[in-house]
């Protein structure tokens, strides 16, 4: 089946056209012709586009090596991502996590952001990286397709990161044509990077770098661990399971588009708060899947290491 069936695939290009993998980046990670039906596949083997950790032999990648893996729909995305990486990743924690990816795609049509084990790449919504109103103009304004899920339920959830007691996030009214500073972009993009890279590390931990088979695709290398239930998220689910069946059902409605039952529609916010508080999730997105439970926990933990705390209500 086509990897991107039903999706609007942006026209993209390598941010650095002279980079070692520039000629294959777009074709290997964001091409409408990519297919894999379990029998035949035109996905790229790692000999054509290896994981970053393979290229560096497990050593910390340089900023230049990361930028050589960057795919964008507009050049400003590459410039702003480069600025973000040089400003925000002085200790190398993001570059170290990026070793479990083959590429970074930033596109005007990517929404929501996601990690894709089929290609080993992360795909980031360009909304998180704009600095100038002219840049913002090029980004798709369509809401996340999940935004109306659960609209018949009686409750909504709110979340934010805070520095001290002040929210990291600022509202920029598009009608005012305002610019956004470097720190605002760091605040918008930092948590997102941690979340998607948490997924990448879940599917390909550093302990697996040495056993990768370059004649096979990213997914062909990952699939045996996935199918055997050997991902970190599998161990988390076994040892620290979420236990609320009610919240699991609501997660199917809110994040996966299931139709709410009459019983679910009758739950008041106070009742849902009680169901949630009795469990060990950090956010109700954890009930979308065990992968999201682990990614949310790691994202929040790593943000807290930087003195940024997450509020959820």
């Amino acid at each position: 089946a086509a990897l991107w069936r039903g999706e609007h695939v942006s026209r993209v290009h390598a941010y650095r056209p002279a980079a070692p993998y520039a000629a294959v980046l777009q074709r290997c990670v964001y091409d409408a012709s990519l297919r894999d039906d379990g029998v035949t596949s035109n996905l790229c083997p790692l000999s054509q586009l290896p994981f970053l950790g393979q290229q560096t032999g497990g050593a910390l990648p340089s900023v230049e090596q990361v930028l050589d893996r960057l795919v964008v729909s507009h050049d400003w995305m590459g410039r702003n991502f480069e600025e973000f990486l040089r400003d925000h990743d002085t200790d190398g924690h993001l570059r170290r996590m990026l070793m479990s990816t083959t590429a970074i795609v930033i596109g005007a049509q990517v929404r929501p952001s996601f990690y894709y084990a089929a290609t080993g790449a992360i795909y980031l919504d360009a909304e998180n990286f704009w600095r100038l109103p002219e840049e913002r103009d090029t980004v798709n304004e369509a809401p996340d397709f999940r935004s109306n899920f659960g609209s018949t339920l009686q409750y909504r959830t709110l979340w934010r990161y805070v520095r001290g007691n002040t929210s990291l996030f600022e509202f920029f009214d598009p009608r005012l044509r305002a610019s956004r500073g470097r720190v605002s972009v760091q605040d918008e993009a930092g948590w997102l990077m941690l979340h998607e890279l948490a997924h990448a590390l879940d599917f390909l931990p550093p302990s697996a770098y040495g056993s990768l088979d370059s004649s096979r695709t990213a997914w062909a290398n990952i699939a045996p661990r996935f199918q055997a239930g050997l991902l970190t998220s599998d161990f988390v689910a076994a040892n620290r399971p979420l236990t609320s069946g009610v919240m699991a059902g609501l997660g199917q409605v809110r994040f996966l588009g299931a139709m709410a039952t009459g019983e679910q529609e009758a739950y008041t916010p106070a009742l849902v708060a009680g169901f949630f508080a009795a469990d060990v999730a950090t956010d109700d997105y954890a009930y979308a899947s065990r992968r999201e439970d682990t990614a949310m926990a790691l994202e929040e933990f790593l943000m807290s290491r930087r003195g940024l705390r997450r509020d959820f209500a």
Side-chain angles (χ1 to χ4, degrees):
L3 256 62
W4 305 107
R5 61 189 181 279
E7 300 287 337
H8 184 119
V9 178
S10 306
R11 182 177 290 108
V12 295
H13 57 274
Y15 172 54
R16 291 185 156 186
Y21 300 103
V24 299
L25 274 174
Q26 181 269 339
R27 179 174 61 81
C28 288
V29 300
Y30 205 46
D31 190 306
S33 69
L34 286 174
R35 303 184 63 84
D36 185 8
D37 60 11
V39 178
T40 60
S41 170
N42 65 354
L43 298 180
C44 297
L46 296 181
S47 58
Q48 291 183 13
L49 183 62
F51 284 98
L52 183 54
Q54 290 178 278
Q55 179 188 352
T56 67
L60 179 67
S62 66
V63 171
E64 284 67 30
Q65 286 173 313
V66 171
L67 296 175
D68 285 348
R69 304 300 189 102
L70 182 59
V71 180
V72 297
S73 61
H74 298 74
D75 284 335
W76 67 259
M77 300 170 191
R79 293 193 299 270
N80 292 2
F81 180 80
E82 179 175 358
E83 182 180 82
F84 161 80
L85 203 60
R86 294 191 189 281
D87 287 350
H88 189 66
D89 194 43
T90 54
D91 61 1
H93 75 287
L94 289 177
R95 281 175 286 141
R96 195 170 300 283
M97 296 175 77
L98 280 161
M99 290 163 65
S100 287
T101 66
T102 56
I104 309 101
V105 179
I106 306 176
Q109 300 292 338
V110 175
R111 181 162 302 149
S113 302
F114 60 98
Y115 159 78
Y116 203 5
T119 61
I122 58 171
Y123 300 78
L124 305 177
D125 187 340
E127 171 66 23
N128 297 83
F129 294 95
W130 66 267
R131 290 278 311 275
L132 303 175
E134 294 79 13
E135 295 169 351
R136 190 181 197 179
D137 290 342
T138 65
V139 180
N140 183 1
E141 294 182 313
D144 186 325
F145 73 93
R146 302 167 298 184
S147 59
N148 203 42
F149 288 173
S151 59
T152 61
L153 299 175
Q154 291 192 44
Y155 74 98
R156 295 289 183 271
T157 59
L158 302 170
W159 66 272
R160 65 177 185 170
Y161 277 103
V162 294
R163 182 182 286 112
N165 198 35
T166 303
S167 175
L168 262 62
F169 306 130
E170 301 175 73
F171 174 67
F172 292 86
D173 189 331
R175 295 169 296 184
L176 299 181
R177 310 292 293 164
S179 296
R180 193 160 65 170
R182 295 164 83 125
V183 173
S184 291
V185 172
Q186 291 174 36
D187 289 342
E188 288 287 343
W191 68 271
L192 173 70
M193 288 285 293
L194 290 176
H195 185 90
E196 301 311 335
L197 292 174
H199 286 304
L201 284 164
D202 186 16
F203 280 77
L204 187 74
S207 59
Y209 296 163
S211 59
L212 292 169
D213 182 347
S214 291
S215 69
R216 309 182 76 194
T217 67
W219 174 239
N221 276 276
I222 290 169
R225 294 184 65 255
F226 175 79
Q227 292 160 354
L230 296 177
L231 304 192
T232 302
S233 53
D234 295 315
F235 291 109
V236 171
N239 293 291
R240 293 289 186 272
L242 300 178
T243 60
S244 175
V246 172
M247 292 304 301
L250 290 170
Q252 294 290 306
V253 174
R254 291 208 356 100
F255 304 110
L256 301 178
M259 191 75 78
T261 66
E263 183 179 12
Q264 290 171 326
E265 291 175 345
Y267 291 140
T268 64
L271 276 174
V272 175
F275 299 141
F276 178 79
D279 222 337
V280 293
T282 62
D283 185 286
D284 70 333
Y285 193 35
Y287 295 96
S289 72
R290 64 180 59 181
R291 316 302 172 202
E292 297 300 348
D293 181 28
T294 297
M296 288 303 309
L298 183 56
E299 170 203 322
E300 184 169 341
F301 170 73
L302 292 176
M303 288 289 280
S304 74
R305 291 285 297 272
R306 290 182 165 264
L308 306 172
R309 300 308 299 255
R310 197 172 192 277
D311 291 339
F312 177 77

